[in-house]
């Protein structure tokens, strides 16, 4: 568990550096789509895959753009929040309670941590929902593909 002498608490800047990286990755979706399109063109040109299959894949991939960007934005928000939490915890105005919870010795730090937590929890929940939705869609798609393969 986290301890007051944990050296990672002094490196919130490294956590904060994830935010612009996540946003940059989120903006690269068109590049990834173009690469998938080019690879699909190669597969069609070599008769490994038929064009309708590539078209369907690209439509499905393109449909994930908004979710991909939102996920990148949420990761950036979480990284910024966690970096701020590291800075609060790095002041070491806290101790562990008997149950292992963090108990703040400074009211200002406690208010700041609670405000951060109030911002982070919804972002974490949203990110989890996106990831759960993606997993469900992949599982459903795999099930449909498997059942189609069995019926032939």
């Amino acid at each position: 568990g986290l301890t007051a002498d944990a050296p990672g608490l002094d490196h919130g800047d490294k956590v904060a550096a994830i935010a612009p990286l996540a946003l940059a990755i989120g903006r690269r979706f068109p590049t990834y789509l173009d690469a998938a399109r080019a690879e699909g063109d190669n597969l069609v040109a070599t008769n490994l895959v038929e064009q309708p299959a590539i078209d369907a894949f690209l439509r499905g991939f393109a449909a994930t753009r908004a979710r991909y960007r939102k996920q990148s934005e949420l990761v950036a928000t979480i990284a910024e929040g966690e970096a701020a939490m590291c800075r609060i915890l790095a002041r070491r105005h806290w101790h562990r309670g008997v149950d292992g919870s963090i108990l703040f010795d400074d009211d200002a730090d406690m208010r700041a941590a609670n405000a951060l937590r109030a911002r982070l929890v919804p972002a974490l929940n949203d990110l989890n929902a996106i990831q759960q939705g993606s997993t469900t869609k992949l599982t459903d798609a795999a099930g449909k593909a498997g059942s189609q393969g069995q019926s032939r």
Side-chain angles (χ1 to χ4, degrees):
L2 183 66
T3 61
D5 60 350
L9 293 178
D10 298 317
H11 299 288
D13 56 327
K14 291 180 181 175
V15 176
I18 294 169
L21 178 62
L23 293 173
I25 290 169
R27 289 188 297 268
R28 292 193 48 82
F29 189 89
T31 302
Y32 303 142
L33 185 58
D34 290 344
R37 185 175 290 112
E39 183 61 26
D41 291 345
N42 288 336
L43 292 170
V44 170
T46 57
N47 294 318
L48 291 173
V49 179
E50 294 180 8
Q51 188 65 52
I54 295 299
D55 293 343
F57 171 80
L58 292 172
R59 277 193 306 276
F61 186 45
T64 67
R65 182 180 191 151
R67 185 173 63 239
Y68 184 85
R69 187 164 194 123
K70 180 66 175 174
Q71 187 171 339
S72 298
E73 291 167 357
L74 288 168
V75 168
T77 297
I78 292 164
E80 290 166 350
E82 291 299 329
M85 188 66 77
C86 279
R87 288 189 286 275
I88 292 168
L89 295 173
R91 293 192 284 260
R92 279 122 173 134
H93 298 157
W94 57 275
H95 63 278
R96 286 284 186 178
V98 176
D99 63 352
S101 62
I102 292 176
L103 303 174
F104 286 95
D105 303 320
D106 181 85
D107 286 341
D109 283 353
M110 181 182 65
R111 285 191 302 278
N114 285 339
L116 274 171
R117 186 176 181 281
R119 282 196 344 248
L120 284 172
V121 168
L124 288 164
N125 289 341
D126 289 350
L127 183 59
N128 186 48
I130 288 171
Q131 291 170 341
Q132 287 292 95
S134 295
T135 300
T136 300
K137 286 179 183 178
L138 285 173
T139 302
D140 291 348
K144 287 178 186 173
S147 66
Q148 289 173 353
Q150 292 172 354
S151 65
R152 290 184 180 182

